Amino acid sequence: QAFFCLLLCIPWGSSCPRSCRCTERAGAKAVLCSSQHLQEIPKDIPRDVVLLKLDANSITSIPSNAFRHLSRLEEIDLSRNAIEQIDGAAFTGLAAGLRSLDLSGNRIRSVPKEALLALRAELRLADNPWHCGCALQELLGRARLEPGSVRGITCHSAPRHEFVGRPLLQVLAAGVNLCRVSHRSTDVAVFVTMFGWFAMVVVYVVCYVRHNREHSCGHRDRLRSLPGARGCAE
């Protein structure tokens, strides 16, 4: 941490993205783009950057291969943005060297598991409107999350209403398996859909039979003067 603090203070003269500030110490370079109203990740970030701060902007998504050319990156701060979508290949090329990835304080409801599970970095995921389902439970069990960040993961939505508003750790500590709950919810949804289709078929058949009966009765009423004809009331 002390190294990165010193890194923030010493400027370097090579190319630097517009609206950002760049510093260097002992050959390690930092690109500082905090609070610059950025709506996307800059395309011209120097390849040898070690620390990248993009916090407190208006970035809404992380596209595929967004950092692929930044093989020396050790820390990325994307906290306090408006990120809603993360592509499954968003962090391709960063698995080996990345040590810290901060995604806290965004609008993330879910994230493809493959986007984060390949990373060895410590993840910060708190203060997002998470959907607490099977995917998030698996991510929590397999990824390397910063301990304080784990406690800040709260269920904004969930397969069962009683989980909403509760910390994910609290839900799991109660013995809930979200993967089983999600599976049961899917089964119920399939059953309800099938029942709905069956009910529609039944209604259609009943209406069809009734329509044909009314048509037949009308025809017979027109012929009721013929010998041996009966009324519909019979």
Side-chain angles (χ1 to χ4, degrees):
Q1 294 293 331
F3 170 74
F4 283 122
C5 288
L6 290 172
L7 183 59
L8 302 181
C9 302
I10 303 177
W12 48 286
S14 59
S15 63
C16 187
R18 188 165 55 91
S19 301
C20 299
R21 182 168 63 91
C22 298
T23 64
E24 179 178 2
R25 179 176 175 79
K29 298 178 180 179
V31 176
L32 314 176
C33 309
S34 306
S35 305
Q36 295 300 313
H37 308 290
L38 299 176
Q39 296 183 349
E40 60 181 19
I41 298 169
K43 301 291 192 298
D44 53 349
I45 299 172
R47 291 178 175 271
D48 52 353
V49 63
V50 173
L51 169 64
L52 177 59
K53 291 185 68 65
L54 294 163
D55 54 303
N57 282 293
S58 301
I59 299 170
T60 58
S61 64
I62 307 177
S64 176
N65 299 314
F67 307 99
R68 189 181 185 91
H69 65 294
L70 307 177
S71 59
R72 294 187 60 186
L73 261 180
E74 296 182 11
E75 181 175 345
I76 305 175
D77 186 355
L78 284 159
S79 64
R80 295 181 294 144
N81 274 279
I83 297 170
E84 296 181 359
Q85 183 177 358
I86 298 176
D87 189 86
F91 303 106
T92 297
L94 297 178
L98 194 66
R99 299 192 306 180
S100 175
L101 173 60
D102 194 343
L103 292 168
S104 60
N106 280 283
R107 300 175 184 173
I108 305 170
R109 289 177 46 82
S110 63
V111 59
K113 291 183 292 184
E114 62 270 20
L116 299 180
L117 289 181
L119 300 176
R120 301 174 187 173
E122 185 176 71
L123 306 177
R124 294 180 176 85
L125 304 175
D127 301 320
N128 282 287
W130 288 105
H131 173 74
C132 289
C134 185
L136 185 58
Q137 178 177 317
E138 291 181 353
L139 180 63
L140 188 67
R142 296 170 59 187
R144 183 185 168 208
L145 274 65
E146 194 272 328
S149 174
V150 176
R151 291 190 290 271
I153 298 177
T154 301
C155 299
H156 187 266
S157 61
R160 287 164 54 177
H161 180 72
E162 58 265 34
F163 301 154
V164 176
R166 295 173 59 186
L168 177 59
L169 280 183
Q170 187 182 99
V171 172
L172 298 178
V176 175
N177 187 328
L178 292 170
C179 292
R180 292 180 181 175
V181 170
S182 298
H183 182 69
R184 286 200 301 270
S185 300
T186 301
D187 290 345
V188 170
V190 170
F191 175 77
V192 170
T193 301
M194 291 179 64
F195 180 80
W197 278 107
F198 178 75
M200 288 175 62
V201 171
V202 170
V203 170
Y204 173 79
V205 171
V206 169
C207 291
Y208 179 79
V209 171
R210 183 174 296 173
H211 173 77
N212 284 349
R213 183 177 182 277
E214 291 174 352
H215 178 76
S216 176
C217 286
H219 180 69
R220 284 190 295 173
D221 286 344
R222 286 193 297 271
L223 301 176
R224 65 179 180 271
S225 60
L226 294 177
R230 288 185 168 185
C232 285
E234 300 177 8

